[in-house]
Amino acid sequence: MKRKLLLLTCTLFLLSGCGADDDTTTASSTSEPQPTETSPEYDEEYYLKLIPEVKVEVAGIWKNGWEEQFCLYLTAPTITEFSEDYLIAEGVLSNEVHATEEAASVKYYISDGTIFSCEPVPDEVLLLTPAIPFSTDLLYDLYDEAFYSDATGTRIHVDFTPENFPSIEMDNAGWHDNYGYLGTITITDIDGNVYQTSENHMCTFIIYDRLSNDSEERYWEAEHHWEAGLENIFVHKVE
């Protein structure tokens, strides 16, 4: 009889203990904070990623002082002012062809993580420059040959390469704008002989012209006021 009572007591004790654990677990689980959805934070870092994709319509001056409308994009922007309704960012405006000569500021109107319009500030005509700067090395790509007449009047043709003519000089005064050069070109051959283009025979005009699918060097082209064609550069030996 005592044995049966002892077994019954143990059984009730175990059952009551398990129940207490379950109640504790249930109470603990219901008191834990539940995850909630938070609205995205549209901070400066967020808009810095959007700005380079937003086109900015500006009035720009490029070759020969022509003023035209261009669609440019603010590259490597820096935000200088940030508010709930707008932000102002600064950087160079550019596309594949043109760029602003100096940094410009643009006001972007924002709402709920979207840039819905923009305008340059101040809204004035901007001076443009080629997106790919000119280098004298490009002349090797523009011209196939350099030719000149020797003392006997014989015309000499030489491949226009860095190996044959390692030095090229251009007069800074010959640049009449950021896109065009109208002046003397001085070249020196591998033996140290110096040659120059002659305005009496050819007027050289290097101009940033248009995009090309071939190479970046072809962004620049040459025009001449002489019947020799575009592939050769006519020079005379400097005494």
Side-chain angles (χ1 to χ4, degrees):
M1 181 66 178
K2 292 182 179 179
R3 184 179 180 184
K4 291 182 178 179
L5 288 174
L6 180 60
L7 291 173
L8 178 60
T9 302
C10 292
T11 301
L12 291 173
F13 178 78
L14 291 173
L15 290 174
S16 62
C18 291
D21 289 341
D22 289 341
D23 292 341
T24 304
T25 303
T26 302
S28 176
S29 62
T30 56
S31 63
E32 292 180 357
Q34 300 298 315
T36 57
E37 293 185 2
T38 58
S39 57
E41 184 179 358
Y42 301 126
D43 56 9
E44 293 188 21
E45 289 296 324
Y46 171 85
Y47 285 105
L48 282 173
K49 296 177 182 178
L50 297 183
I51 288 173
E53 304 297 325
V54 179
K55 68 179 179 180
V56 184
E57 295 185 5
V58 302
I61 295 177
W62 66 310
K63 65 178 182 180
N64 299 323
W66 296 342
E67 180 180 332
E68 295 183 26
Q69 290 294 123
F70 297 90
C71 289
L72 306 177
Y73 299 84
L74 197 63
T75 58
T78 300
I79 294 178
T80 58
E81 188 174 338
F82 187 78
S83 71
E84 182 179 354
D85 301 323
Y86 72 89
L87 64 87
I88 296 177
E90 185 179 75
V92 172
L93 285 165
S94 65
N95 59 18
E96 296 91 342
V97 182
H98 309 282
T100 52
E101 190 173 48
E102 298 179 350
S105 293
V106 180
K107 187 174 185 179
Y108 296 89
Y109 296 93
I110 58 179
S111 177
D112 295 329
T114 302
I115 299 176
F116 58 88
S117 65
C118 63
E119 62 184 6
V121 288
D123 190 3
E124 59 185 17
V125 180
L126 301 175
L127 186 63
L128 301 181
T129 192
I132 297 181
F134 179 85
S135 166
T136 53
D137 290 341
L138 296 177
L139 294 177
Y140 295 118
D141 193 60
L142 292 172
Y143 298 111
D144 294 334
E145 290 183 333
F147 67 98
Y148 58 94
S149 298
D150 64 11
T152 64
T154 303
R155 182 171 290 184
I156 309 298
H157 290 258
V158 183
D159 290 339
F160 193 63
T161 63
E163 292 74 24
N164 293 332
F165 298 94
S167 174
I168 301 176
E169 296 179 15
M170 299 171 69
D171 185 2
N172 288 334
W175 290 97
H176 58 88
D177 59 32
N178 289 333
Y179 294 80
Y181 180 84
L182 184 61
T184 300
I185 297 175
T186 302
I187 61 176
T188 303
D189 67 17
I190 193 172
D191 297 322
N193 299 307
V194 180
Y195 305 84
Q196 285 184 337
T197 55
S198 173
E199 294 184 1
N200 295 328
H201 295 87
M202 179 178 64
C203 191
T204 304
F205 183 60
I206 308 299
I207 181 173
Y208 188 87
D209 188 35
R210 62 178 180 270
L211 293 175
S212 169
N213 294 325
D214 297 331
S215 64
E216 292 182 352
E217 286 78 11
R218 303 308 299 177
Y219 282 47
W220 289 86
E221 293 189 354
E223 295 181 358
H224 305 297
H225 302 283
W226 195 52
E227 63 274 10
L230 304 182
E231 296 79 14
N232 302 325
I233 179 171
F234 177 77
V235 293
H236 67 275
K237 190 173 182 179
V238 178
E239 299 298 337

